[in-house]
Structures are given as structure tokens and as C-alpha cells.
Amino acid sequence: MWCIGVLTAQYRQRMYALLDLYARPFRAREPVICVDEKSKQLLGEVRAPLPMKPGAPAKADGEYVRAGTCNLFVAVEPKGGRRTVLVTDRRAKTDFVAFVEHMLTHVYATARRVHRVLDNLNTHFRACFEDVLGVAAAQSLLRRVVFHYTPKHGSWLNMAEIEIGILDRQCLDRRLSDRRLLAIEVAAWERRRNDQHCGIAWTFTRQNADRKFMRHYVS
């Protein structure tokens, strides 16, 4: 919050709406899914690392070669303990639409209504689906979807950022040289987390927000 001088009425409205959404009891037929993206720099080794052995850690040369970048779409259902991660070359609107389509037709095909929490990136809005799929197909795909957007400068309210932080620490905090290897490692991490039904316990409420931020509120 250090970079925001005041919190406008729109900021508060969106913040309250998300905090109320997170406070709802778990409903398997109406999942709340937080979505975000992450860019990953691919790095190759100049010299083969030395594997660890008894009494000695693994050793890697400080020099590396850049091998491009790729994108990871991350969706997490905090109370359902489920996440879906897709590795793509880019994060263009066609890639995002394909990711959402996969989620709706495969992962959450039986859900009655799907609540999606997103930030304000320009590819996240309904118009992008209409651009890619056409109006009729976009309406059909999104008929079960309710979009919830974080306030501007309020991405801390998107729990996908928490899941991405865990993904960073547990899987991505090392050199990975190509997209195929990255996808294999991420899929193994995703499968393990899902098998353990790892969720996110969100405890920040509207009352907490008012106590912490009230002096920043403006009408």
C-alpha cells in the first residue's frame, strides 16, 4: 500500500466485493478461481553442473546462456485445493482465451457457475474473448462465468499471486533451459499440490481492511 496515497470509492467497492467473495463458504458447484500470469526466463548451462554427492553439494558454474522466455498461466481454487498451470510461449489474448476455454471445458466442465478473479491486464476482459472467438462463441463459452476484478494497484487481492510465489520457491527457483523441461517440472509440481489438496487460507476481512486502511479512504 505504500505506493497509493488514497483509496477511492471504486477501489473500496472492488476490494469489499472480493473480500466478501473470499468469505463465502465453499461451494463445489460454484468455484472461486484466481488467475494470473508469470514470465519465466529460460537459462541454459555453459558447463555441465556437478551433481551432489555424500558430503558435497551440487555445483554449478556462475556463467549461463539465455534461452528466451516463456509464460505461465496460473489458476488456483483456494478453498478447493486445486490449481491448473499452463506453459505457453506468449501471454497474448489468444493464449489467455485458450487457457480459459481449457479450464471451462475440461477442469470445471460440471460447475454451475465459475467465479474468476483477475487483475486489470488488457487481455483479461470479455472483449478479448469476442475478438478471438466471435461474439456468439464468446457468449456461449462465458455463460457460466462471473468476472471479478481487483482494484487498480490492488493485485495483492488476487490469491493467484500467493500461489505463484509458492511455485517460484518450490519449482522455478533454478535454471531451466527449455520450455519442454519447464512444462514437465511444473506439471509434476501441480500434480503433487493437487494430490495433497493444498489450499490457501485467506483471513483478511472487510473489518481488517477498514482498520488498516481507513485513514487512506476518500469519498
Side-chain angles (χ1 to χ4, degrees), residues 173-192:
D173 191 21
R174 54 200 170 97
R175 292 177 190 171
L176 294 164
S177 58
D178 61 74
R179 175 181 160 179
R180 184 189 66 83
L181 176 60
L182 174 64
I184 291 172
E185 295 291 324
V186 168
W189 175 88
E190 175 191 322
R191 186 166 53 250
R192 183 175 67 254

Side-chain angles (χ1 to χ4, degrees), residues 100 104 113-114 116 126 141-147:
V100 173
L104 293 174
R113 182 176 292 114
V114 177
R116 304 192 73 86
R126 185 178 292 267
L141 177 67
L142 301 177
R143 69 189 185 279
R144 297 180 294 132
V145 178
V146 181
F147 290 99

